[in-house]
Amino acid sequence: MIANLPDSPVLRRSLALAPALIIIGVFMLIPMVVMAIFSFLEAKSFGGVVWNFSGSAYIQLLYERMLDDSLRLSPGYLIIIARSFLLAFVAMVCCLIVGFPVAYFISRQPIQHRNMWVLLITIPFWTNQLVRTFAWIIILGRNGVIEAPFRFAGLLGADETLGLMYSDFAITVGLTYTFIPLMVLPIYASLEKLDFSLVEAAADLYSSRWEAFSKVIIPLAKPGIIAGCLLVFIPSLGAFIQPDLLGGGKKLMLGTLVQFQFSTARNWPFGSAIAMILLAFVMLFLILYARAARNAKAMDLH
Amino acid sequence: MILKTALWAASALALMAGAAQAEGSLNIYNWTDYTSPEMIEKFEKETGIDVTLDTYDSNETLLAKMQAGATGYDIIVPSHNFIPIFIEEGLVQEVDATAMPNFKNVKERWRHPDWDPEQKYTVPFHWGSASVAYRPDLYGKELESYGEFFEPSEEVSGRISVFKTPEEVVNLAHLYLGQEFCNEDPAAMQRVQDLLIAQKPHVMAYSSEGMNDRLINGDAIISTHWNGYAYKGRTLAEEAGKELVYAYPKEGVIGWMDGLMIPASAENVENAKIFMNFIMDPENMGIQSNYAGYGGPIEGQEEFMDEALRNAPEINIPNDTKMIFSFACNAKAQSLIDRVWTNVLR
């Protein structure tokens, strides 16, 4: 059997790579190509596509076709894209504000305890995301966990509410809660490698606590911070469970818009086009990240 | 016609005679939480046919799957508005329901529906309606018109819950405005859009799930609702000492009906027909109704239904209430609906 293996090292190497290439090809490239092709076709009335080339899906993003067939610039979808970006950005900042101290705390624990803390961070991942999001309805909703003490203390009347649910606030809470482990873990990974004697050295050289933090810890944790921000920002951009369940589905987001096109609107090309736009933005951020990482490395070498 | 019926009866009898042995299998593809296990058990016992059940959660899923060439299903249960699509796309085969012995049990009003006038492809199954439900104890009066839902008073502002499915919401708006469904007239659609945009500030959520939760905990006072689901909600509300009423506004309600069909790709066609005939029996449909919580089309099935369901106002539509059936809109009307919906939600 072994004798049957090819002798050429090139062939051997490509055989060894084959499983990875097949997985990337079948599960990533082919679906993406299908999506790209669909986005340039015409929609069939009951779902599916007609095999005619058409750029109308992309035109629809920017223009509204008036009843006399003229085109008018329409900001509708751009507003949806902008809103998705804003909420994803806010969620990312909230994750960073909450996640950084947590990661720092864990990295300062004795080595034998650290794994336990990391385990605690990942436990919520073991439960279905939908279930965890539903739990927030119980916490934020009318007569929920947060409102109960207010009502008990008489600060809220029987039929009054704090109005936490079905708002942008609720969406942000949901996104932050869901994606925070993705922020904590990469930051922890960079902080764990941080040589704490550098911070002590900074203190010896009369730096204030703030200076030691901003000029020593933050720069050294930067790769983790950037990775964490990307890992939170990208899925937040396409999230649709939180806007739907916690935001009350009152405002469309990119994720809900895509879902809507493939279900009730039955406009597959337009859904594919939005997905392609989303993909383009994600690619853009990844390229920016790769550049930042390369620059950081170049700085290290100097 | 008579000959056909006779032949049918004969073949059914022949099959019944051999019921003790296994008579092959039947694969049913039906909505989630919609098939009575008790009814299936009875069917298996009486016919010896082994039933396998698979489920889906939307007409779109069913259609996409059948279009993609799924095989191995002998019975599917699309809703009336999708039935013409299945026929047009050649995804189903003729069954000739009128020739089945038990077709005589089908109530007059459910025979020869618009979506299958000759009853060539479908056997009628559950029907239901969509309207609004509300909390009379919080609202303080009876809801008489959709105006109270689309143009709500100060007291219920911010406590209105609306379906997430554009077709149903737009159809309710059409009902209120007295317009045709699947409207292709831009001016009519403009009126719908204006109405929905004006309603939006008063809406707490657009969602087609959890209506009962929101109504019972008081988040919502008025919510779009389906009759069968509202029946369950009323029962839950009563247990919590609250009131939940499914309204029959003066403008009417939207109707829907599911039909049993046999896919073109079915392998056990004869067994599927035996099942169709079986379900048109009053006792069997009654058992099925008890489980699903929806009314059925069979004369005398009430006798076999639980008292609570039999007398439920949700499934006993008042005689003077109009029930208007929606249908699948053409591409033009559909794109107008989508545009209105996007404009409302953006």
Side-chain angles (χ1 to χ4, degrees):
Chain A
M1 290 299 255
I2 294 166
N4 284 344
L5 273 179
D7 295 332
S8 145
V10 177
L11 201 56
R12 249 191 234 195
R13 209 177 304 144
S14 39
L15 268 183
L17 276 175
L21 291 177
I22 289 172
I23 286 178
I24 291 177
V26 172
F27 294 109
M28 203 178 101
L29 287 180
I30 293 180
M32 267 161 65
V33 169
V34 169
M35 201 166 73
I37 294 174
F38 271 27
S39 72
F40 285 104
L41 295 175
E42 276 172 22
K44 209 169 147 189
S45 17
F46 300 121
V49 286
V50 181
W51 286 88
N52 286 336
F53 175 83
S54 158
S56 60
Y58 290 93
I59 295 173
Q60 197 184 340
L61 262 177
L62 287 177
Y63 295 94
E64 189 178 355
R65 192 168 285 280
M66 301 307 286
L67 301 158
D68 58 359
D69 258 2
S70 64
L71 291 173
R72 192 184 67 176
L73 193 68
S74 153
Y77 296 112
L78 295 180
I79 294 174
I80 294 170
I81 293 174
R83 177 186 302 129
S84 304
F85 268 82
L86 184 67
L87 274 173
F89 183 77
V90 172
M92 181 189 86
V93 171
C94 290
C95 277
L96 185 60
I97 291 172
V98 181
F100 190 91
V102 173
Y104 185 81
F105 170 80
I106 298 175
S107 71
R108 296 271 64 82
Q109 297 303 303
I111 285 187
Q112 64 270 29
H113 291 167
R114 284 182 203 166
N115 278 343
M116 184 199 69
W117 286 104
V118 170
L119 182 76
L120 287 177
I121 296 284
T122 55
I123 278 183
F125 265 141
W126 300 359
T127 316
N128 183 295
Q129 199 196 107
L130 201 59
V131 175
R132 284 183 284 141
T133 310
F134 260 108
W136 277 103
I137 300 181
I138 299 170
I139 297 172
L140 298 174
R142 188 180 284 261
N143 299 324
V145 176
I146 292 180
E147 286 192 2
F150 284 93
R151 218 171 288 278
F152 183 74
L155 294 169
L156 267 182
D159 206 34
E160 286 176 304
T161 176
L162 294 172
L164 299 176
M165 259 307 276
Y166 307 114
S167 61
D168 288 350
F169 169 77
I171 300 178
T172 311
V173 168
L175 289 175
T176 307
Y177 166 77
T178 306
F179 297 120
I180 201 154
L182 301 177
M183 181 66 88
V184 172
L185 296 178
I187 296 183
Y188 163 71
S190 8
L191 285 176
E192 195 196 18
K193 285 181 289 188
L194 184 148
D195 184 353
F196 208 71
S197 54
L198 290 172
V199 182
E200 283 161 10
D204 289 347
L205 296 168
Y206 299 104
S207 79
S208 66
R209 278 165 163 255
W210 170 247
E211 277 170 325
F213 176 72
S214 63
K215 293 194 172 151
V216 179
I217 297 178
I218 292 278
L220 288 171
K222 203 167 146 199
I225 292 173
I226 294 175
C229 286
L230 276 174
L231 287 176
V232 171
F233 186 78
I234 291 171
S236 298
L237 203 53
F240 72 90
I241 291 180
Q242 295 83 0
D244 232 37
L245 288 181
L246 301 175
K250 267 183 284 190
K251 291 165 181 169
L252 286 174
M253 302 262 289
L254 274 173
T256 32
L257 190 61
V258 173
Q259 187 218 17
F260 175 56
Q261 299 308 323
F262 281 95
S263 55
T264 40
R266 299 194 282 265
N267 190 345
W268 294 12
F270 189 48
S272 305
I274 304 165
M276 289 306 288
I277 299 286
L278 191 57
L279 189 71
F281 279 121
V282 170
M283 290 284 274
L284 184 72
F285 286 114
L286 286 178
I287 291 169
L288 289 178
Y289 168 65
R291 277 207 171 161
R294 204 172 50 217
N295 289 346
K297 218 173 223 169
M299 296 252 286
D300 269 1
L301 292 175
H302 285 295
Chain B
M1 186 72 187
I2 293 166
L3 181 71
K4 244 187 194 171
T5 314
L7 274 176
W8 221 99
S11 64
L13 272 176
L15 281 161
M16 293 294 253
Q21 305 107 4
E23 286 293 347
S25 56
L26 177 70
N27 299 312
I28 300 176
Y29 194 32
N30 198 357
W31 295 79
T32 314
D33 292 334
Y34 200 45
T35 321
S36 158
E38 202 187 325
M39 180 272 294
I40 293 293
E41 212 172 282
K42 186 165 180 282
F43 176 75
E44 289 183 324
K45 218 188 233 164
E46 283 180 17
T47 63
I49 295 169
D50 255 339
V51 175
T52 315
L53 183 68
D54 194 4
T55 61
Y56 53 88
D57 60 1
S58 73
N59 282 307
E60 284 85 0
T61 309
L62 173 65
L63 179 62
K65 214 160 167 184
M66 299 312 287
Q67 276 174 332
T71 55
Y73 297 119
D74 305 314
I75 292 271
I76 54 172
V77 195
S79 303
H80 71 281
N81 51 341
F82 273 67
I83 284 170
I85 305 177
F86 280 88
I87 298 173
E88 229 169 86
E89 303 258 307
L91 297 169
V92 287
Q93 51 181 284
E94 292 194 15
V95 295
D96 216 353
T98 50
M100 296 185 184
N102 279 341
F103 187 76
K104 62 178 194 299
N105 298 327
V106 176
K107 283 180 189 164
E108 201 55 50
R109 88 172 276 180
W110 300 117
R111 290 186 190 189
H112 308 295
D114 290 345
W115 48 91
D116 184 16
E118 290 171 56
Q119 206 95 50
K120 257 198 223 156
Y121 296 91
T122 56
V123 160
F125 199 49
H126 288 300
W127 63 270
S129 65
S131 163
V132 295
Y134 68 112
R135 284 280 304 272
D137 44 344
L138 296 178
Y139 193 47
K141 58 182 172 187
E142 197 181 333
L143 191 147
E144 289 168 353
S145 158
Y146 288 114
E148 297 163 60
F149 164 74
F150 283 115
E151 293 158 331
S153 59
E154 197 64 28
E155 303 91 69
V156 288
S157 177
R159 296 171 83 173
I160 302 277
S161 145
V162 184
F163 283 145
K164 208 181 76 178
T165 38
E167 283 88 349
E168 281 168 307
V169 179
V170 168
N171 282 344
L172 284 172
H174 280 319
L175 265 189
Y176 173 53
L177 297 169
Q179 302 180 153
E180 299 262 314
F181 289 177
C182 288
N183 217 305
E184 292 176 41
D185 173 14
M189 291 307 284
Q190 185 66 46
R191 284 191 287 275
V192 168
Q193 179 173 315
D194 294 344
L195 183 69
L196 294 178
I197 287 180
Q199 183 203 25
K200 194 180 172 189
H202 308 292
V203 173
M204 59 171 305
Y206 292 91
S207 168
S208 300
E209 293 143 9
M211 283 86 84
N212 287 334
D213 298 335
R214 285 192 291 277
L215 282 167
I216 291 171
N217 77 13
D219 262 340
I221 293 179
I222 305 177
S223 172
T224 46
H225 224 314
W226 295 295
N227 67 331
Y229 195 25
Y231 163 67
K232 286 177 189 157
R234 177 168 56 85
T235 318
L236 288 171
E238 277 165 7
E239 280 166 17
K242 293 166 180 173
E243 292 174 43
L244 193 160
V245 167
Y246 182 73
Y248 289 104
K250 61 174 191 242
E251 295 90 354
V253 294
I254 302 175
W256 57 261
M257 181 173 223
D258 290 339
L260 302 182
M261 300 183 98
I262 305 183
S265 61
E267 280 156 17
N268 306 298
V269 176
E270 283 316 308
N271 287 351
K273 288 184 178 171
I274 293 170
F275 181 78
M276 286 177 154
N277 190 49
F278 173 87
I279 205 71
M280 287 190 285
D281 175 84
E283 183 178 356
N284 301 336
M285 193 63 210
I287 297 173
Q288 165 62 27
S289 274
N290 281 340
Y291 180 81
Y294 284 102
I298 303 301
E299 195 72 59
Q301 71 169 81
E302 288 79 8
E303 202 186 309
F304 301 94
M305 278 156 59
D306 300 335
E307 200 186 335
L309 182 64
R310 188 166 56 223
N311 301 326
E314 290 84 3
I315 72 160
N316 291 297
I317 177 168
N319 282 331
D320 54 347
T321 297
K322 272 190 298 182
M323 174 147 57
I324 301 169
F325 284 84
S326 59
F327 45 96
C329 303
N330 64 23
K332 189 177 174 202
Q334 182 66 39
S335 94
L336 282 172
I337 293 176
D338 295 341
R339 256 198 263 170
V340 165
W341 194 246
T342 311
N343 288 338
V344 170
L345 288 195
R346 72 182 178 202

